[in-house]
Amino acid sequence: MTSALLRCDGPKMIDRRKFATASLAFAVTSPSIMRARQPKRVIVVGAGAAGLTAAYHLVNAGIGVQVLEASNRWGGRIRRLSNFAEVPLDLGAEWIHDDPTILGDIIGQGSDSLGVRTLEYRPETYQFWHNGRLRDFDLLRHAYAEVKFFDTTWYGFFERFVVEGIKDNIRLNTRVTYIDLDGNGIVVRTHRGQTYQADKVLVTVPISVLQHGQIVTSSTDVNARFEDLRDIQFGVGFKVFIKFRERFYPDILFDGPRRSVLSNGWSEKIYYDAVFEKPTDENLLGLFTAWDTAIPRSEMDHSELVQDVIRELTEMFGKVVGDSFVAARAMNWSKEPFIEGSYSMSNRGNWNIVDILQPVSNKLFFAGEALGGDAQSTVQGAAFSAINAVSLLLQT
Ligand SMILES: Cc1cc2nc3c(=O)[nH]c(=O)nc-3n(C[C@H](O)[C@H](O)[C@H](O)COP(=O)(O)OP(=O)(O)OC[C@H]3O[C@@H](n4cnc5c(N)ncnc54)[C@H](O)[C@@H]3O)c2cc1C
């Protein structure tokens, strides 16, 4: 089993110093972007946190960039739920698992000048659901703190600071299927048979896409490396938000024995007040679940998922759940095309993802959350891996 830091992307009792060190290690590489030798044209495959961050820094360095995104939207595993609550909610990444100064690091600016309001996420009331019983354990409030956005989301942050300057470089509904490394440059082919030529290509798709052979290259050696990725587990995951007329739940509720959450420092399934300290009086309960093996809920569609969650909450809290239910939204990431899961988790074969996804012939580079080092499986891990890849790509 890997460490807690690598596994959980819901709230966790993080080792904040370790995260800060990881960020610094990445951040110091970014200035080299400005000094670097420059290819004329770079293709970025995937418009999630990594692809968008890479495109932002490449455009700022004066490089011609084309981002090719398979789905009909940018953001990947950052996605906003608007028009459901008085505040926007995150259907994917939500917590800032680090000091908020990483927001400035992502775009190469000091975070003070950004004007992004964040909040200290320090829940006060805790419950555990185990063996059919709810138990309070509010002492945890002394041990647990994280950071969240106050009135925006990860999606809103990228929209305002990253995508604004690169939106014309993004081509949606364009799924890359083949990468030809044989000629002088590099050629990328899409599912419709269109080809794009560039000096270098940066691939930022989830490792699930490479694991499933959805992108192949002209090199048997590189294709064999993608096969090695199959030993890295890419978990299932989903979020559910439910609006209630009445508030009957604690700030945070862990599913499982107290002992296991305390000893691991994390939980893969939590219910939480989704608008804790946010500017609204609405009652919104969130559910975050990410698991390293398939679970029945990962097969469910929206309404099945909501019904099953309501059933479970009714077991916990009784009739008040049905009586005060208003509406719900769910996002099952395991069923999302081109992503098919939550994030990289444990490693069954002890492969090192960084070794497997080494650059190829100074032409093909990789970034994404799986390459996020100590910040693996987070947004900043994806973004910092992109900054590193861009720095490398411009120097070689
Ligand atoms: C439920 C859930 C909760 C999470 N919570 C948090 C959290 O609280 N905090 C946190 O920091 N992180 C969290 N994460 C993790 C975080 O969302 C990811 O680590 C990060 O967003 C991944 O960014 P990425 O750019 O590496 O990949 P992605 O966001 O997956 O982007 C890759 C893009 O590539 C595209 N693509 C795929 N195949 C192709 C192809 N063939 N051609 C072209 N494009 C293609 C995809 O459509 C996608 O847009 C959470 C994730 C999930 C699922």
PDB file of all heavy atoms in Angstrom, residues 29 32-33 200 358-359 362 365 386-396:
ATOM      1  N   THR A  29      11.779  24.996 -10.849  1.00  0.00           N
ATOM      2  CA  THR A  29      12.161  24.683 -12.230  1.00  0.00           C
ATOM      3  C   THR A  29      11.509  25.654 -13.223  1.00  0.00           C
ATOM      4  O   THR A  29      11.957  25.778 -14.338  1.00  0.00           O
ATOM      5  CB  THR A  29      11.716  23.261 -12.629  1.00  0.00           C
ATOM      6  OG1 THR A  29      10.303  23.215 -12.569  1.00  0.00           O
ATOM      7  CG2 THR A  29      12.312  22.210 -11.729  1.00  0.00           C
ATOM      8  N   SER A  32      13.238  28.526 -15.649  1.00  0.00           N
ATOM      9  CA  SER A  32      14.059  28.118 -16.784  1.00  0.00           C
ATOM     10  C   SER A  32      13.274  28.179 -18.089  1.00  0.00           C
ATOM     11  O   SER A  32      13.834  28.224 -19.169  1.00  0.00           O
ATOM     12  CB  SER A  32      14.616  26.716 -16.571  1.00  0.00           C
ATOM     13  OG  SER A  32      13.554  25.822 -16.448  1.00  0.00           O
ATOM     14  N   ILE A  33      11.945  28.186 -17.966  1.00  0.00           N
ATOM     15  CA  ILE A  33      11.118  28.306 -19.161  1.00  0.00           C
ATOM     16  C   ILE A  33      11.506  29.568 -19.929  1.00  0.00           C
ATOM     17  O   ILE A  33      11.588  29.577 -21.145  1.00  0.00           O
ATOM     18  CB  ILE A  33       9.623  28.371 -18.765  1.00  0.00           C
ATOM     19  CG1 ILE A  33       9.185  27.013 -18.256  1.00  0.00           C
ATOM     20  CG2 ILE A  33       8.758  28.822 -19.920  1.00  0.00           C
ATOM     21  CD1 ILE A  33       7.806  26.993 -17.655  1.00  0.00           C
ATOM     22  N   LYS A 200       7.432  19.051 -31.070  1.00  0.00           N
ATOM     23  CA  LYS A 200       7.372  18.226 -29.849  1.00  0.00           C
ATOM     24  C   LYS A 200       5.913  18.032 -29.433  1.00  0.00           C
ATOM     25  O   LYS A 200       5.055  18.851 -29.749  1.00  0.00           O
ATOM     26  CB  LYS A 200       8.130  18.901 -28.711  1.00  0.00           C
ATOM     27  CG  LYS A 200       9.562  19.244 -29.147  1.00  0.00           C
ATOM     28  CD  LYS A 200      10.506  19.496 -28.030  1.00  0.00           C
ATOM     29  CE  LYS A 200      11.874  19.791 -28.666  1.00  0.00           C
ATOM     30  NZ  LYS A 200      12.993  19.560 -27.824  1.00  0.00           N
ATOM     31  N   GLN A 358       9.421   8.365 -19.189  1.00  0.00           N
ATOM     32  CA  GLN A 358      10.555   9.216 -19.556  1.00  0.00           C
ATOM     33  C   GLN A 358      10.302   9.832 -20.935  1.00  0.00           C
ATOM     34  O   GLN A 358       9.665   9.197 -21.780  1.00  0.00           O
ATOM     35  CB  GLN A 358      11.827   8.354 -19.655  1.00  0.00           C
ATOM     36  CG  GLN A 358      12.466   8.025 -18.329  1.00  0.00           C
ATOM     37  CD  GLN A 358      13.042   9.267 -17.673  1.00  0.00           C
ATOM     38  OE1 GLN A 358      13.725  10.052 -18.308  1.00  0.00           O
ATOM     39  NE2 GLN A 358      12.739   9.427 -16.401  1.00  0.00           N
ATOM     40  N   PRO A 359      10.833  11.034 -21.206  1.00  0.00           N
ATOM     41  CA  PRO A 359      10.702  11.595 -22.564  1.00  0.00           C
ATOM     42  C   PRO A 359      11.319  10.664 -23.605  1.00  0.00           C
ATOM     43  O   PRO A 359      12.227   9.887 -23.291  1.00  0.00           O
ATOM     44  CB  PRO A 359      11.501  12.900 -22.480  1.00  0.00           C
ATOM     45  CG  PRO A 359      11.582  13.226 -21.029  1.00  0.00           C
ATOM     46  CD  PRO A 359      11.546  11.925 -20.298  1.00  0.00           C
ATOM     47  N   ASN A 362      13.685  13.245 -27.225  1.00  0.00           N
ATOM     48  CA  ASN A 362      13.509  14.704 -27.098  1.00  0.00           C
ATOM     49  C   ASN A 362      12.308  15.233 -27.887  1.00  0.00           C
ATOM     50  O   ASN A 362      12.247  16.413 -28.228  1.00  0.00           O
ATOM     51  CB  ASN A 362      14.760  15.471 -27.569  1.00  0.00           C
ATOM     52  CG  ASN A 362      15.905  15.265 -26.602  1.00  0.00           C
ATOM     53  OD1 ASN A 362      15.671  14.989 -25.424  1.00  0.00           O
ATOM     54  ND2 ASN A 362      17.128  15.368 -27.099  1.00  0.00           N
ATOM     55  N   PHE A 365       6.915  13.973 -24.694  1.00  0.00           N
ATOM     56  CA  PHE A 365       7.029  14.220 -23.245  1.00  0.00           C
ATOM     57  C   PHE A 365       5.691  13.888 -22.575  1.00  0.00           C
ATOM     58  O   PHE A 365       4.650  13.847 -23.242  1.00  0.00           O
ATOM     59  CB  PHE A 365       7.388  15.689 -23.002  1.00  0.00           C
ATOM     60  CG  PHE A 365       8.740  16.073 -23.557  1.00  0.00           C
ATOM     61  CD1 PHE A 365       8.891  16.326 -24.920  1.00  0.00           C
ATOM     62  CD2 PHE A 365       9.858  16.151 -22.747  1.00  0.00           C
ATOM     63  CE1 PHE A 365      10.137  16.657 -25.442  1.00  0.00           C
ATOM     64  CE2 PHE A 365      11.100  16.480 -23.264  1.00  0.00           C
ATOM     65  CZ  PHE A 365      11.241  16.732 -24.621  1.00  0.00           C
ATOM     66  N   ALA A 386       3.477  19.438 -15.270  1.00  0.00           N
ATOM     67  CA  ALA A 386       3.431  20.101 -16.584  1.00  0.00           C
ATOM     68  C   ALA A 386       4.510  21.186 -16.663  1.00  0.00           C
ATOM     69  O   ALA A 386       5.181  21.324 -17.688  1.00  0.00           O
ATOM     70  CB  ALA A 386       2.051  20.706 -16.802  1.00  0.00           C
ATOM     71  N   ILE A 387       4.682  21.935 -15.590  1.00  0.00           N
ATOM     72  CA  ILE A 387       5.719  22.984 -15.584  1.00  0.00           C
ATOM     73  C   ILE A 387       7.094  22.341 -15.772  1.00  0.00           C
ATOM     74  O   ILE A 387       7.925  22.811 -16.553  1.00  0.00           O
ATOM     75  CB  ILE A 387       5.644  23.803 -14.272  1.00  0.00           C
ATOM     76  CG1 ILE A 387       4.350  24.615 -14.257  1.00  0.00           C
ATOM     77  CG2 ILE A 387       6.858  24.705 -14.118  1.00  0.00           C
ATOM     78  CD1 ILE A 387       4.075  25.340 -12.954  1.00  0.00           C
ATOM     79  N   ASN A 388       7.303  21.231 -15.083  1.00  0.00           N
ATOM     80  CA  ASN A 388       8.570  20.501 -15.232  1.00  0.00           C
ATOM     81  C   ASN A 388       8.766  20.026 -16.660  1.00  0.00           C
ATOM     82  O   ASN A 388       9.852  20.159 -17.230  1.00  0.00           O
ATOM     83  CB  ASN A 388       8.557  19.265 -14.324  1.00  0.00           C
ATOM     84  CG  ASN A 388       9.418  19.479 -13.120  1.00  0.00           C
ATOM     85  OD1 ASN A 388       9.900  20.580 -12.898  1.00  0.00           O
ATOM     86  ND2 ASN A 388       9.621  18.438 -12.340  1.00  0.00           N
ATOM     87  N   ALA A 389       7.706  19.439 -17.233  1.00  0.00           N
ATOM     88  CA  ALA A 389       7.812  18.898 -18.601  1.00  0.00           C
ATOM     89  C   ALA A 389       8.088  20.022 -19.594  1.00  0.00           C
ATOM     90  O   ALA A 389       8.901  19.873 -20.504  1.00  0.00           O
ATOM     91  CB  ALA A 389       6.537  18.154 -18.965  1.00  0.00           C
ATOM     92  N   VAL A 390       7.412  21.155 -19.409  1.00  0.00           N
ATOM     93  CA  VAL A 390       7.628  22.293 -20.327  1.00  0.00           C
ATOM     94  C   VAL A 390       9.068  22.786 -20.211  1.00  0.00           C
ATOM     95  O   VAL A 390       9.744  23.052 -21.212  1.00  0.00           O
ATOM     96  CB  VAL A 390       6.621  23.427 -20.023  1.00  0.00           C
ATOM     97  CG1 VAL A 390       7.022  24.717 -20.719  1.00  0.00           C
ATOM     98  CG2 VAL A 390       5.230  23.004 -20.456  1.00  0.00           C
ATOM     99  N   SER A 391       9.545  22.867 -18.991  1.00  0.00           N
ATOM    100  CA  SER A 391      10.918  23.315 -18.771  1.00  0.00           C
ATOM    101  C   SER A 391      11.901  22.387 -19.492  1.00  0.00           C
ATOM    102  O   SER A 391      12.810  22.842 -20.198  1.00  0.00           O
ATOM    103  CB  SER A 391      11.176  23.343 -17.265  1.00  0.00           C
ATOM    104  OG  SER A 391      12.423  23.859 -16.985  1.00  0.00           O
ATOM    105  N   LEU A 392      11.666  21.107 -19.353  1.00  0.00           N
ATOM    106  CA  LEU A 392      12.531  20.094 -19.988  1.00  0.00           C
ATOM    107  C   LEU A 392      12.415  20.151 -21.511  1.00  0.00           C
ATOM    108  O   LEU A 392      13.414  20.130 -22.239  1.00  0.00           O
ATOM    109  CB  LEU A 392      12.061  18.724 -19.484  1.00  0.00           C
ATOM    110  CG  LEU A 392      12.971  17.538 -19.616  1.00  0.00           C
ATOM    111  CD1 LEU A 392      14.225  17.768 -18.781  1.00  0.00           C
ATOM    112  CD2 LEU A 392      12.231  16.292 -19.088  1.00  0.00           C
ATOM    113  N   LEU A 393      11.184  20.246 -21.957  1.00  0.00           N
ATOM    114  CA  LEU A 393      10.890  20.270 -23.399  1.00  0.00           C
ATOM    115  C   LEU A 393      11.569  21.459 -24.075  1.00  0.00           C
ATOM    116  O   LEU A 393      12.026  21.371 -25.216  1.00  0.00           O
ATOM    117  CB  LEU A 393       9.383  20.323 -23.497  1.00  0.00           C
ATOM    118  CG  LEU A 393       8.550  20.435 -24.741  1.00  0.00           C
ATOM    119  CD1 LEU A 393       7.160  19.898 -24.425  1.00  0.00           C
ATOM    120  CD2 LEU A 393       8.439  21.850 -25.189  1.00  0.00           C
ATOM    121  N   LEU A 394      11.658  22.578 -23.374  1.00  0.00           N
ATOM    122  CA  LEU A 394      12.266  23.773 -23.967  1.00  0.00           C
ATOM    123  C   LEU A 394      13.787  23.748 -23.884  1.00  0.00           C
ATOM    124  O   LEU A 394      14.456  24.519 -24.568  1.00  0.00           O
ATOM    125  CB  LEU A 394      11.711  25.022 -23.284  1.00  0.00           C
ATOM    126  CG  LEU A 394      10.230  25.297 -23.531  1.00  0.00           C
ATOM    127  CD1 LEU A 394       9.768  26.511 -22.743  1.00  0.00           C
ATOM    128  CD2 LEU A 394       9.949  25.503 -25.007  1.00  0.00           C
ATOM    129  N   GLN A 395      14.314  22.903 -23.051  1.00  0.00           N
ATOM    130  CA  GLN A 395      15.772  22.877 -22.896  1.00  0.00           C
ATOM    131  C   GLN A 395      16.434  21.841 -23.786  1.00  0.00           C
ATOM    132  O   GLN A 395      17.638  21.860 -23.969  1.00  0.00           O
ATOM    133  CB  GLN A 395      16.139  22.538 -21.458  1.00  0.00           C
ATOM    134  CG  GLN A 395      15.913  23.676 -20.487  1.00  0.00           C
ATOM    135  CD  GLN A 395      16.125  23.194 -19.064  1.00  0.00           C
ATOM    136  OE1 GLN A 395      17.195  22.692 -18.741  1.00  0.00           O
ATOM    137  NE2 GLN A 395      15.121  23.334 -18.247  1.00  0.00           N
ATOM    138  N   THR A 396      15.666  20.864 -24.264  1.00  0.00           N
ATOM    139  CA  THR A 396      16.312  19.750 -24.967  1.00  0.00           C
ATOM    140  C   THR A 396      16.158  19.887 -26.477  1.00  0.00           C
ATOM    141  O   THR A 396      15.313  20.638 -26.946  1.00  0.00           O
ATOM    142  CB  THR A 396      15.689  18.416 -24.526  1.00  0.00           C
ATOM    143  OG1 THR A 396      14.279  18.523 -24.598  1.00  0.00           O
ATOM    144  CG2 THR A 396      16.104  18.068 -23.139  1.00  0.00           C
TER     145      THR A 396
END
